[in-house]
Amino acid sequence: MLVAGFAICGFSAHAQGDAAKGEALFKSKCTTCHKIDQRLIGPALGPQLESETDDKWLTKWIQNNQALIAAHDKKALDIYNQYNQSAMTVFADLSDGDVSNIIAYVRTEYKKEKTATPAPGTVAQATESAPSNLVILGLIGVIVVAFIVILVLNKVIGTLERLLLKRQGLPLELEEVEVAAPVDRYALVKKLAKNKKFVFFVVLCGTIAMGSWTWVALWTTNVHQGYQPVQPIKFPHDLHAGAMQINCQYCHSGAYKSKNASIPSLNVCMNCHKVVKTESPEIHKIYDALGYDPTTQKYDSTKARPMQWIRVHNLPDFAYFNHSQHVKVAGLKCQTCHGPVETMKEVYQYSPLTMKWCIQCHKRTDVNMKGNAYYENMIQVHDLIKQGKKVTAAAMGGIECGKCHY
């Protein structure tokens, strides 16, 4: 572990280290227990080091936190007690310069992430463009104005026709109507039906409306954005991922190492809920599914039954998606695709997950080739091509197991 002590300590001066050198040290020494922007085993380091810090004290803590605890240092004891007296690894092999480099790297990277990351409560994501309400209201306004113009023109044309007939001494159709004739409720409709301009306008608007509706219906077929099924257990993500700040991969461990993010087994839930919220009816659903008796704390396999979770995000069979490729290699956060799950009472499909949505994301996502064995190999292959040397399928990864056995 690097520092449980990054969490609370107040400090006075920023480390003047080399961030580039600190990156290698951070990845080799610290990533087992810490992330820069998220809590892992220990706290997220970035937020804790954003303010002014006493780097001299921090250097002593990292190099030998046990010595500070034994010396009854107040800060050290507060941190030790806050984290349930969990011992942190001693890094006596790190020099003062090494620690300064690590601190400089953490602060530099956190500033970059803050600049690139939206404000809390928002999610950076690839969204599909759609017409705004202003555009839609504008189109409706144009149709209404056009309808009024047609009515006015029709009235003017009728008036001109009557004047023309009057000049020629011909009888007017309106004057031929007898006063005693019965009132026809549909007279206006019949009159409009005889008006070729009005009929043409109605047919044109109807064709455009039906065509637009058909296009939208076909385009959104099998798109389940907003889908929120009722699950057998009400699992509040806003409590676990939000308030408790539990890392997504504690439960969905497959996201980092396999194609599927995986649904956690109920045994993962029992890591906490053997003792936490045991009175909750939702927790008792877990006990019932496992055949667990909380009074005796024993399992009865004959009473166990599988939990029937309902899948929320489901891609077509012809679409291949690999979680580890996006999470581990690309370094994407879960919220990029799944939305602000840390605020969801019940999870729903936040993004459309259409091909267009994926392509838009791929078009604007920069590829970080640094430290990536695959891209480094591609660079070597391109160098061979430039030199006119032979390039085989094996050089392109053609003999990797995953090419065929994924």
Side-chain angles (χ1 to χ4, degrees):
M1 295 173 62
L2 174 54
V3 238
F6 274 76
I8 296 292
C9 312
F11 302 94
S12 60
H14 282 307
Q16 302 299 319
D18 188 331
K21 293 180 180 178
E23 180 179 6
L25 289 169
F26 178 82
K27 290 181 178 179
S28 63
K29 301 286 187 180
C30 316
T31 52
T32 302
C33 300
H34 294 280
K35 285 189 175 183
I36 292 176
D37 60 340
Q38 295 180 17
R39 181 188 178 107
L40 197 58
I41 296 175
L45 303 185
Q48 309 303 330
L49 293 181
E50 186 178 22
S51 58
E52 291 294 328
T53 56
D54 182 359
D55 294 342
K56 291 182 178 179
W57 186 94
L58 179 58
T59 300
K60 295 178 182 178
W61 171 266
I62 295 174
Q63 291 173 338
N64 194 344
N65 62 92
Q66 296 300 317
L68 289 176
I69 295 171
H72 299 286
D73 182 274
K74 186 178 184 304
K75 289 183 181 179
L77 289 174
D78 289 344
I79 296 167
Y80 184 60
N81 293 326
Q82 180 186 358
Y83 287 89
N84 300 320
Q85 299 185 350
S86 177
M88 189 190 90
T89 304
V90 172
F91 292 99
D93 57 322
L94 293 178
S95 65
D96 292 355
D98 292 335
V99 176
S100 294
N101 293 339
I102 293 173
I103 295 172
Y105 169 72
V106 171
R107 287 177 178 149
T108 302
E109 287 301 305
Y110 185 63
K111 286 181 181 178
K112 291 180 182 177
E113 291 181 7
K114 279 191 64 180
T115 303
T117 304
T122 61
V123 178
Q125 60 151 354
T127 56
E128 296 199 56
S129 59
S132 64
N133 292 334
L134 182 62
V135 173
I136 295 174
L137 292 175
L139 292 174
I140 295 175
V142 169
I143 293 174
V144 171
V145 170
F147 181 72
I148 294 173
V149 169
I150 288 176
L151 289 179
V152 172
L153 290 176
N154 188 60
K155 187 70 175 177
V156 172
I157 291 172
T159 302
L160 292 175
E161 287 178 347
R162 285 194 297 272
L163 288 174
L164 183 61
L165 291 174
K166 192 173 182 179
R167 281 188 178 185
Q168 295 176 354
L170 298 174
L172 300 178
E173 293 181 3
L174 294 177
E175 295 176 355
E176 294 176 357
V177 180
E178 297 182 4
V179 177
V183 178
D184 188 354
R185 295 182 180 180
Y186 303 102
L188 180 60
V189 176
K190 291 178 180 178
K191 186 177 179 180
L192 291 175
K194 292 179 181 179
N195 190 313
K196 295 180 180 179
K197 299 181 184 66
F198 178 77
V199 172
F200 172 76
F201 180 75
V202 171
V203 172
L204 178 63
C205 291
T207 302
I208 294 174
M210 290 299 295
S212 301
W213 178 83
T214 303
W215 175 264
V216 172
L218 292 174
W219 187 256
T220 56
T221 297
N222 207 35
V223 176
H224 304 293
Q225 189 173 14
Y227 175 56
Q228 187 179 37
V230 177
Q231 301 289 359
I233 296 178
K234 295 180 180 178
F235 181 86
H237 276 75
D238 60 342
L239 172 62
H240 293 78
M244 305 300 296
Q245 297 185 356
I246 298 175
N247 190 287
C248 298
Q249 293 178 39
Y250 178 79
C251 298
H252 303 286
S253 57
Y256 187 76
K257 58 187 178 183
S258 70
K259 172 187 173 183
N260 298 309
S262 70
I263 297 176
S265 67
L266 295 182
N267 290 326
V268 175
C269 306
M270 293 294 286
N271 288 339
C272 296
H273 289 295
K274 267 189 175 182
V275 294
V276 177
K277 298 291 288 184
T278 56
E279 74 285 356
S280 169
E282 298 300 319
I283 302 303
H284 275 267
K285 292 179 182 179
I286 300 176
Y287 297 163
D288 294 340
L290 290 171
Y292 174 76
D293 186 348
T295 57
T296 62
Q297 296 188 355
K298 292 182 179 180
Y299 293 89
D300 185 352
S301 59
T302 61
K303 296 180 180 179
R305 55 180 175 79
M307 184 61 64
Q308 300 295 326
W309 298 105
I310 301 175
R311 185 164 186 164
V312 178
H313 304 84
N314 193 19
L315 294 178
D317 292 339
F318 56 78
Y320 177 79
F321 180 85
N322 191 309
H323 273 84
S324 63
Q325 202 169 16
H326 291 76
V327 175
K328 183 177 181 180
V329 180
L332 296 182
K333 296 181 179 179
C334 304
Q335 288 86 345
T336 304
C337 298
H338 294 290
V341 291
E342 71 279 3
T343 64
M344 296 180 186
K345 195 70 178 178
E346 293 185 41
V347 169
Y348 60 90
Q349 183 174 320
Y350 181 81
S351 304
L353 303 184
T354 60
M355 183 173 72
K356 175 184 177 182
W357 180 81
C358 295
I359 288 175
Q360 285 179 336
C361 182
H362 285 191
K363 282 183 176 180
R364 55 174 166 253
T365 300
D366 296 330
V367 176
N368 182 13
M369 301 185 182
K370 185 177 180 181
N372 188 300
Y374 175 80
Y375 291 117
E376 288 177 351
N377 181 63
M378 290 298 100
I379 293 173
Q380 294 176 5
V381 170
H382 282 114
D383 291 339
L384 291 175
I385 294 174
K386 290 178 182 178
Q387 297 171 12
K389 296 182 179 180
K390 179 180 178 181
V391 176
T392 64
M396 302 288 290
I399 59 175
E400 295 174 1
C401 303
K403 292 293 182 182
C404 300
H405 302 288
Y406 63 83

Short mmCIF file of all heavy atoms in Angstrom, two decimals, residues 250 266-280 283-284 286-287 292-295 297 299:
data_model
loop_
_atom_site.label_atom_id
_atom_site.label_comp_id
_atom_site.label_asym_id
_atom_site.label_seq_id
_atom_site.Cartn_x
_atom_site.Cartn_y
_atom_site.Cartn_z
N TYR A 250 -15.43 -3.97 -7.83
CA TYR A 250 -15.51 -4.86 -6.67
C TYR A 250 -16.59 -5.90 -6.91
O TYR A 250 -16.45 -7.06 -6.53
CB TYR A 250 -15.82 -4.05 -5.41
CG TYR A 250 -15.97 -4.92 -4.17
CD1 TYR A 250 -14.86 -5.42 -3.51
CD2 TYR A 250 -17.23 -5.25 -3.69
CE1 TYR A 250 -14.99 -6.23 -2.39
CE2 TYR A 250 -17.38 -6.06 -2.57
CZ TYR A 250 -16.26 -6.55 -1.92
OH TYR A 250 -16.40 -7.36 -0.82
N LEU A 266 -23.93 -13.97 -5.24
CA LEU A 266 -24.48 -13.48 -3.96
C LEU A 266 -23.46 -13.61 -2.83
O LEU A 266 -23.59 -12.94 -1.80
CB LEU A 266 -25.75 -14.25 -3.62
CG LEU A 266 -26.92 -14.05 -4.59
CD1 LEU A 266 -28.13 -14.84 -4.11
CD2 LEU A 266 -27.26 -12.58 -4.73
N ASN A 267 -22.44 -14.44 -3.01
CA ASN A 267 -21.39 -14.55 -1.99
C ASN A 267 -20.63 -13.23 -1.84
O ASN A 267 -20.13 -12.92 -0.76
CB ASN A 267 -20.42 -15.68 -2.34
CG ASN A 267 -21.07 -17.04 -2.18
OD1 ASN A 267 -21.90 -17.23 -1.30
ND2 ASN A 267 -20.71 -17.98 -3.03
N VAL A 268 -20.54 -12.46 -2.95
CA VAL A 268 -19.90 -11.15 -2.87
C VAL A 268 -20.72 -10.23 -1.97
O VAL A 268 -20.18 -9.48 -1.16
CB VAL A 268 -19.74 -10.54 -4.28
CG1 VAL A 268 -19.18 -9.12 -4.20
CG2 VAL A 268 -18.82 -11.41 -5.13
N CYS A 269 -22.04 -10.31 -2.10
CA CYS A 269 -22.92 -9.50 -1.24
C CYS A 269 -22.73 -9.89 0.23
O CYS A 269 -22.75 -9.03 1.12
CB CYS A 269 -24.38 -9.71 -1.64
SG CYS A 269 -24.75 -9.42 -3.38
N MET A 270 -22.53 -11.19 0.45
CA MET A 270 -22.41 -11.68 1.82
C MET A 270 -21.12 -11.24 2.49
O MET A 270 -21.01 -11.32 3.71
CB MET A 270 -22.53 -13.20 1.82
CG MET A 270 -23.90 -13.73 1.43
SD MET A 270 -25.17 -13.29 2.62
CE MET A 270 -24.76 -14.43 3.95
N ASN A 271 -20.16 -10.78 1.73
CA ASN A 271 -18.93 -10.25 2.34
C ASN A 271 -19.26 -9.14 3.33
O ASN A 271 -18.58 -8.97 4.35
CB ASN A 271 -17.98 -9.73 1.27
CG ASN A 271 -17.35 -10.85 0.47
OD1 ASN A 271 -17.30 -11.99 0.93
ND2 ASN A 271 -16.88 -10.54 -0.73
N CYS A 272 -20.29 -8.36 3.01
CA CYS A 272 -20.71 -7.28 3.91
C CYS A 272 -21.99 -7.61 4.67
O CYS A 272 -22.13 -7.31 5.85
CB CYS A 272 -20.93 -5.98 3.12
SG CYS A 272 -19.45 -5.33 2.32
N HIS A 273 -22.93 -8.23 3.96
CA HIS A 273 -24.27 -8.33 4.51
C HIS A 273 -24.50 -9.53 5.43
O HIS A 273 -25.63 -9.83 5.79
CB HIS A 273 -25.29 -8.32 3.38
CG HIS A 273 -25.41 -6.97 2.72
ND1 HIS A 273 -25.89 -5.87 3.40
CD2 HIS A 273 -25.06 -6.55 1.48
CE1 HIS A 273 -25.86 -4.83 2.59
NE2 HIS A 273 -25.37 -5.21 1.42
N LYS A 274 -23.43 -10.17 5.82
CA LYS A 274 -23.56 -11.10 6.94
C LYS A 274 -23.79 -10.32 8.24
O LYS A 274 -24.42 -10.83 9.17
CB LYS A 274 -22.30 -11.96 7.08
CG LYS A 274 -22.36 -13.28 6.34
CD LYS A 274 -21.18 -14.15 6.72
CE LYS A 274 -21.30 -15.53 6.08
NZ LYS A 274 -20.17 -16.41 6.48
N VAL A 275 -23.28 -9.08 8.25
CA VAL A 275 -23.38 -8.27 9.48
C VAL A 275 -24.02 -6.91 9.23
O VAL A 275 -24.45 -6.25 10.18
CB VAL A 275 -21.99 -8.07 10.11
CG1 VAL A 275 -21.43 -9.38 10.62
CG2 VAL A 275 -21.01 -7.45 9.11
N VAL A 276 -24.13 -6.48 7.96
CA VAL A 276 -24.65 -5.15 7.65
C VAL A 276 -26.09 -5.26 7.17
O VAL A 276 -26.40 -6.07 6.30
CB VAL A 276 -23.79 -4.48 6.56
CG1 VAL A 276 -24.39 -3.12 6.17
CG2 VAL A 276 -22.36 -4.30 7.04
N LYS A 277 -26.98 -4.45 7.77
CA LYS A 277 -28.39 -4.37 7.38
C LYS A 277 -29.06 -5.74 7.35
O LYS A 277 -29.85 -6.06 6.44
CB LYS A 277 -28.52 -3.70 6.01
CG LYS A 277 -28.01 -2.27 5.95
CD LYS A 277 -28.90 -1.33 6.72
CE LYS A 277 -30.22 -1.09 6.04
NZ LYS A 277 -31.05 -0.09 6.73
N THR A 278 -28.79 -6.56 8.33
CA THR A 278 -29.36 -7.91 8.37
C THR A 278 -30.87 -7.90 8.58
O THR A 278 -31.54 -8.90 8.33
CB THR A 278 -28.70 -8.74 9.49
OG1 THR A 278 -28.86 -8.03 10.74
CG2 THR A 278 -27.22 -8.93 9.21
N GLU A 279 -31.41 -6.76 9.00
CA GLU A 279 -32.85 -6.69 9.24
C GLU A 279 -33.63 -6.34 7.97
O GLU A 279 -34.86 -6.42 7.94
CB GLU A 279 -33.15 -5.64 10.32
CG GLU A 279 -33.01 -4.20 9.90
CD GLU A 279 -31.56 -3.72 9.77
OE1 GLU A 279 -30.65 -4.52 10.09
OE2 GLU A 279 -31.35 -2.56 9.38
N SER A 280 -32.92 -5.95 6.90
CA SER A 280 -33.59 -5.50 5.68
C SER A 280 -34.29 -6.66 4.96
O SER A 280 -33.70 -7.74 4.78
CB SER A 280 -32.57 -4.86 4.73
OG SER A 280 -33.13 -4.65 3.46
N ILE A 283 -32.24 -7.80 1.98
CA ILE A 283 -31.10 -8.64 2.34
C ILE A 283 -31.57 -10.07 2.63
O ILE A 283 -30.88 -11.05 2.31
CB ILE A 283 -30.34 -8.06 3.55
CG1 ILE A 283 -29.87 -6.64 3.23
CG2 ILE A 283 -29.16 -8.95 3.92
CD1 ILE A 283 -29.00 -6.52 2.01
N HIS A 284 -32.74 -10.20 3.18
CA HIS A 284 -33.27 -11.54 3.47
C HIS A 284 -33.58 -12.31 2.19
O HIS A 284 -33.62 -13.54 2.19
CB HIS A 284 -34.51 -11.44 4.37
CG HIS A 284 -34.16 -11.36 5.82
ND1 HIS A 284 -34.09 -12.46 6.65
CD2 HIS A 284 -33.82 -10.30 6.61
CE1 HIS A 284 -33.75 -12.10 7.87
NE2 HIS A 284 -33.57 -10.78 7.88
N ILE A 286 -31.53 -12.32 -0.25
CA ILE A 286 -30.22 -12.93 -0.50
C ILE A 286 -30.07 -14.18 0.36
O ILE A 286 -29.62 -15.24 -0.12
CB ILE A 286 -29.09 -11.93 -0.21
CG1 ILE A 286 -29.21 -10.69 -1.11
CG2 ILE A 286 -27.72 -12.59 -0.39
CD1 ILE A 286 -28.20 -9.62 -0.81
N TYR A 287 -30.43 -14.06 1.63
CA TYR A 287 -30.33 -15.22 2.53
C TYR A 287 -31.17 -16.38 2.01
O TYR A 287 -30.72 -17.54 2.00
CB TYR A 287 -30.82 -14.83 3.93
CG TYR A 287 -30.01 -13.77 4.63
CD1 TYR A 287 -30.52 -13.08 5.73
CD2 TYR A 287 -28.72 -13.46 4.21
CE1 TYR A 287 -29.78 -12.12 6.39
CE2 TYR A 287 -27.97 -12.49 4.85
CZ TYR A 287 -28.50 -11.82 5.94
OH TYR A 287 -27.76 -10.87 6.58
N TYR A 292 -29.36 -19.48 3.52
CA TYR A 292 -28.57 -19.07 4.68
C TYR A 292 -29.49 -18.72 5.85
O TYR A 292 -30.48 -18.01 5.68
CB TYR A 292 -27.71 -17.86 4.30
CG TYR A 292 -26.95 -17.25 5.45
CD1 TYR A 292 -25.80 -17.87 5.95
CD2 TYR A 292 -27.36 -16.05 6.03
CE1 TYR A 292 -25.09 -17.30 6.99
CE2 TYR A 292 -26.65 -15.47 7.07
CZ TYR A 292 -25.51 -16.11 7.55
OH TYR A 292 -24.81 -15.53 8.58
N ASP A 293 -29.14 -19.22 7.00
CA ASP A 293 -29.90 -18.94 8.22
C ASP A 293 -29.09 -17.96 9.07
O ASP A 293 -28.04 -18.31 9.61
CB ASP A 293 -30.14 -20.22 9.01
CG ASP A 293 -31.04 -20.00 10.22
OD1 ASP A 293 -31.29 -18.82 10.56
OD2 ASP A 293 -31.50 -21.00 10.80
N PRO A 294 -29.54 -16.69 9.18
CA PRO A 294 -28.76 -15.68 9.90
C PRO A 294 -28.64 -15.97 11.40
O PRO A 294 -27.72 -15.48 12.05
CB PRO A 294 -29.52 -14.38 9.64
CG PRO A 294 -30.91 -14.82 9.30
CD PRO A 294 -30.77 -16.14 8.61
N THR A 295 -29.55 -16.76 11.95
CA THR A 295 -29.49 -17.05 13.39
C THR A 295 -28.39 -18.06 13.70
O THR A 295 -27.67 -17.94 14.69
CB THR A 295 -30.84 -17.58 13.88
OG1 THR A 295 -31.20 -18.75 13.11
CG2 THR A 295 -31.92 -16.52 13.71
N GLN A 297 -26.10 -18.87 11.24
CA GLN A 297 -25.00 -18.53 10.32
C GLN A 297 -24.49 -19.76 9.57
O GLN A 297 -23.30 -19.94 9.37
CB GLN A 297 -23.85 -17.86 11.08
CG GLN A 297 -24.24 -16.53 11.70
CD GLN A 297 -23.05 -15.78 12.28
OE1 GLN A 297 -21.93 -16.30 12.30
NE2 GLN A 297 -23.29 -14.56 12.75
N TYR A 299 -25.33 -22.50 6.09
CA TYR A 299 -25.95 -22.60 4.78
C TYR A 299 -26.60 -23.97 4.60
O TYR A 299 -26.03 -24.99 5.02
CB TYR A 299 -24.92 -22.39 3.66
CG TYR A 299 -24.35 -20.99 3.60
CD1 TYR A 299 -23.21 -20.65 4.34
CD2 TYR A 299 -24.92 -20.01 2.80
CE1 TYR A 299 -22.67 -19.38 4.29
CE2 TYR A 299 -24.39 -18.73 2.74
CZ TYR A 299 -23.27 -18.42 3.48
OH TYR A 299 -22.74 -17.16 3.42
#
